[in-house]
């Protein structure tokens, strides 16, 4: 079971520790840790039965020293201002880490979208985007999909903005290909995760060929990460989704599992592997553990049961701060989320650039550019980790915060 954590407290703690590491000036520290703008909106929805229900929506713009705000829109009943603040800050550091010219933002609605019909979901999406319209723009703030949002919702957002401001495909990323989306975007986060796993193996002198890998979460990110790591020769010994997991010490047939998952919406019923729970899958002996589902799944109550050499954080915040400290003391490397899952925002940037150019790149071009960005970011983190004798997480935050701080200073604020 995942452990609900205070996202804002964890984000602030990571920021302050990394700021201490690089000796960040106190005045700059204060400015960089406070969001530039926070917007809360009421989003009324006329239901299919004629009743009206109201939902709370948010958009937080954290920092734009390096470029327009960029970040997801999530629809989830647990969305609140603190969570959105934390995610907006993390996006500032993530975009800086991979050196793309964005700042950080995040938004969402406190709603369970599974309770809405397709028409209700469209009406809610359009109403929310109209509410935040005054603070977004193609050179101001560019939203993207996040938890429980998808290319179709981005298409509605783009259309709603276009009715007010004229056709502007670059206003959102993660759109359908037919409406200006980028080739390679759907697989980008999973592909980036696989690239980071490969680079980590090289750094630690581990052989990725036949390395045993456990993936908790087999949605978009987990399934694509599994596919690419399988193609690299790794042995995926266990996989899980919301319905539980499957384990085979000789390695699962990932291409067949992906086909089953795509057809059935779950890995449940796949013919290979022994059943294992989402909690127990974390304890399976492996080289790489990849949490790719929920935040807070590794915490101080279960961290001692883990049996892995490296954790690759494909989800946002799967390892809580106390567990992170314990793992560092044990010598277990944790590759942080702001590096591991940065492939998605990187290809979102490529999509935005293509929209501005009104020109589409080939998938090969997109993948080559993604490879270059992810490897360059990884090498910077590794250099910082070695020079400061710190964890990969603190190294990643240090690289990112230093980059934003220098931009902040040069702008003369």
């Amino acid at each position: 079971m995942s452990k609900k954590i205070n996202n804002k407290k964890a984000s602030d703690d990571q920021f302050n520790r990394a700021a201490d590491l690089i000796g960040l000036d106190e005045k700059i520290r204060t400015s960089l840790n406070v969001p530039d703008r926070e917007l809360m909106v009421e989003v009324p929805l006329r239901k299919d039965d004629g009743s009206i229900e109201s939902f709370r929506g948010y958009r937080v713009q954290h920092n734009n020293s390096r470029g327009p705000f960029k970040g997801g829109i999530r629809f989830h009943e647990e969305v609140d201002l603190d969570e959105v603040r934390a995610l907006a800050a993390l996006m500032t550091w993530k975009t800086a880490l991979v050196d793309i010219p964005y700042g950080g933002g995040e938004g969402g609605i406190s709603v369970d979208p599974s309770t809405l019909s397709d028409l209700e979901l469209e009406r809610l999406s359009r109403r929310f985007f109209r509410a935040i319209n005054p603070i977004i723009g193609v050179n101001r703030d560019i939203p993207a999909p996040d938890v429980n949002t998808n290319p179709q919702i981005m298409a509605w957002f783009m259309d709603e903005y276009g009715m007010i401001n004229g056709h502007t495909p670059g206003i959102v990323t993660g759109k359908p290909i037919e409406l200006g989306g980028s080739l390679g975007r759907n697989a980008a986060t999973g592909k980036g995760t696989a690239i980071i796993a490969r680079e980590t193996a090289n750094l630690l002198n581990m052989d990725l060929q036949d390395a045993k890998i456990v993936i908790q979460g087999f949605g978009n990110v987990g399934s694509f990460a599994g596919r690419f790591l399988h193609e690299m020769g790794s042995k995926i010994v266990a996989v899980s989704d919301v319905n539980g997991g499957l384990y085979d010490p000789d390695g699962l047939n990932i291409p067949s599992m992906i086909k089953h998952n795509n057809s059935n919406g779950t890995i449940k019923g796949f013919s290979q592997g022994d059943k294992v729970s989402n909690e127990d899958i974390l304890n399976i002996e492996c080289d790489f553990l990849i949490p790719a589902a929920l935040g807070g799944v590794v915490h101080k109550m279960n961290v001692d049961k883990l049996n892995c050499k490296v954790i690759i954080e494909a989800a946002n915040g799967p390892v809580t701060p106390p567990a992170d400290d314990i793992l560092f003391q044990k010598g277990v490397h944790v590759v942080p989320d702001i590096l591991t899952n940065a492939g998605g925002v990187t290809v979102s940037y490529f999509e935005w650039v293509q929209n501005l150019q009104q020109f589409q790149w080939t998938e090969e071009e997109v993948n080559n550019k993604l490879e270059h960005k992810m490897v360059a970011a990884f090498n910077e983190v590794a250099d910082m980790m070695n020079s400061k004798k710190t964890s990969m997480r603190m190294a990643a935050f240090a690289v990112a915060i230093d980059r934003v701080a220098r931009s902040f200073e040069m702008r003369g604020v």
Side-chain angles (χ1 to χ4, degrees):
M1 172 178 285
S2 66
K3 187 177 179 63
K4 179 70 175 176
I5 60 173
N6 186 322
N7 292 288
K8 185 64 169 64
K9 184 177 183 299
S11 175
D12 288 348
D13 177 67
Q14 290 161 353
F15 171 82
N16 285 318
R17 290 168 66 180
D20 288 342
L21 190 68
I22 61 174
L24 186 65
D25 179 87
E26 279 297 326
K27 297 184 182 67
I28 295 177
R29 180 189 299 226
T30 300
S31 295
L32 295 188
N33 205 26
V34 177
D36 288 355
R37 179 185 288 118
E38 297 178 346
L39 177 66
M40 289 191 294
V41 295
E42 285 295 325
V43 190
L45 170 67
R46 184 177 295 279
K47 307 289 286 293
D48 292 340
D49 62 6
S51 63
I52 295 178
E53 190 171 352
S54 188
F55 299 91
R56 180 63 59 87
Y58 309 90
R59 187 68 179 176
V60 172
Q61 297 172 331
H62 177 257
N63 185 279
N64 65 349
S65 295
R66 304 186 70 254
F69 303 104
K70 185 80 183 82
I73 300 285
R74 55 176 52 192
F75 291 176
H76 194 278
E77 61 268 34
E78 292 186 1
V79 167
D80 59 27
L81 186 56
D82 270 352
E83 179 181 60
V84 175
R85 281 172 178 156
L87 292 168
L90 286 174
M91 188 58 75
T92 296
W93 316 134
K94 188 181 295 187
T95 55
L97 182 60
V98 289
D99 198 16
I100 55 179
Y102 281 144
E106 181 70 18
I109 305 176
S110 180
V111 60
D112 179 359
S114 68
T115 65
L116 305 178
S117 70
D118 288 345
L119 283 174
E120 288 170 341
L121 183 61
E122 179 177 355
R123 286 196 290 268
L124 184 72
S125 301
R126 289 179 179 274
R127 190 74 188 225
F128 173 65
F129 214 55
R130 188 172 285 267
I132 66 172
N133 175 72
I135 67 167
I136 65 168
V138 71
N139 290 305
R140 180 181 295 174
D141 186 350
I142 307 104
D146 203 322
V147 175
N148 293 329
T149 56
N150 55 32
Q152 177 58 72
I153 291 174
M154 294 304 107
W156 293 331
F157 280 0
M158 184 194 81
D159 182 66
E160 191 69 21
Y161 185 86
M163 286 192 289
I164 302 169
N165 302 283
H167 182 59
T168 315
I171 189 56
V172 293
T173 59
K175 303 179 295 294
I177 300 295
E178 297 84 349
L179 295 177
S182 176
L183 296 169
R185 174 62 183 87
N186 193 41
T189 308
K191 189 172 188 65
T193 297
I195 291 170
I196 293 302
R198 183 197 67 204
E199 295 303 302
T200 302
N202 292 337
L203 178 69
L204 301 178
N205 294 316
M206 298 170 67
D207 188 0
L208 198 63
Q209 290 280 334
D210 294 324
K212 292 182 178 181
I213 295 178
V214 170
I215 302 175
Q216 191 209 37
F218 209 62
N220 174 276
V221 179
S223 61
F224 275 112
R227 170 190 152 188
F228 293 121
L229 287 166
H230 177 81
E231 291 173 357
M232 291 176 186
S234 298
K235 188 183 295 183
I236 316 299
V237 297
V239 164
S240 72
D241 65 10
V242 68
N243 294 309
L246 295 169
Y247 168 60
D248 187 331
D250 295 324
L252 294 162
N253 186 330
I254 295 301
S256 294
M257 179 176 278
I258 289 174
K259 288 180 181 178
H260 178 91
N261 188 51
N262 290 342
S263 298
N264 299 278
T266 179
I267 65 171
K268 186 178 181 180
F270 185 64
S271 57
Q272 184 189 6
D274 297 324
K275 292 182 179 179
V276 61
S277 71
N278 265 305
E279 291 76 25
D280 290 340
I281 199 173
L282 299 171
N283 307 328
I284 292 173
E285 182 181 0
C286 62
D287 298 300
F288 295 91
L289 171 63
I290 304 180
L294 301 171
V297 295
V298 177
H299 45 83
K300 64 181 179 180
M301 301 302 291
N302 67 0
V303 65
D304 289 329
K305 298 177 184 177
L306 268 56
N307 200 3
C308 60
K309 297 175 182 175
V310 180
I311 295 178
I312 309 286
E313 287 191 322
N316 284 318
V319 179
T320 66
D324 199 47
D325 290 338
I326 294 170
L327 290 165
F328 181 64
Q329 292 165 8
K330 287 185 170 186
V332 176
H333 287 274
V334 179
V335 186
D337 48 5
I338 65 167
L339 174 61
T340 301
N341 63 31
V345 72
T346 300
V347 178
S348 277
Y349 164 63
F350 298 158
E351 179 179 333
W352 179 69
V353 170
Q354 291 170 80
N355 292 157
L356 296 180
Q357 293 178 334
Q358 298 184 29
F359 182 81
Q360 188 174 61
W361 301 343
T362 66
E363 188 166 359
E364 182 180 11
E365 286 178 296
V366 171
N367 288 335
N368 287 340
K369 293 175 189 297
L370 173 63
E371 170 94 13
H372 174 76
K373 281 290 186 185
M374 297 299 292
V375 172
F378 182 90
N379 289 337
E380 286 187 284
V381 171
D383 289 344
M384 179 68 77
M385 178 182 71
N386 290 329
S387 67
K388 296 291 187 179
K389 301 293 187 275
T390 189
S391 69
M392 291 193 79
R393 187 183 309 281
M394 284 301 102
F397 271 88
V399 169
I401 292 168
D402 180 63
R403 188 166 277 152
V404 176
R406 282 187 282 115
S407 296
F408 183 83
E409 283 188 284
M410 283 187 283
R411 289 178 69 133
V413 180

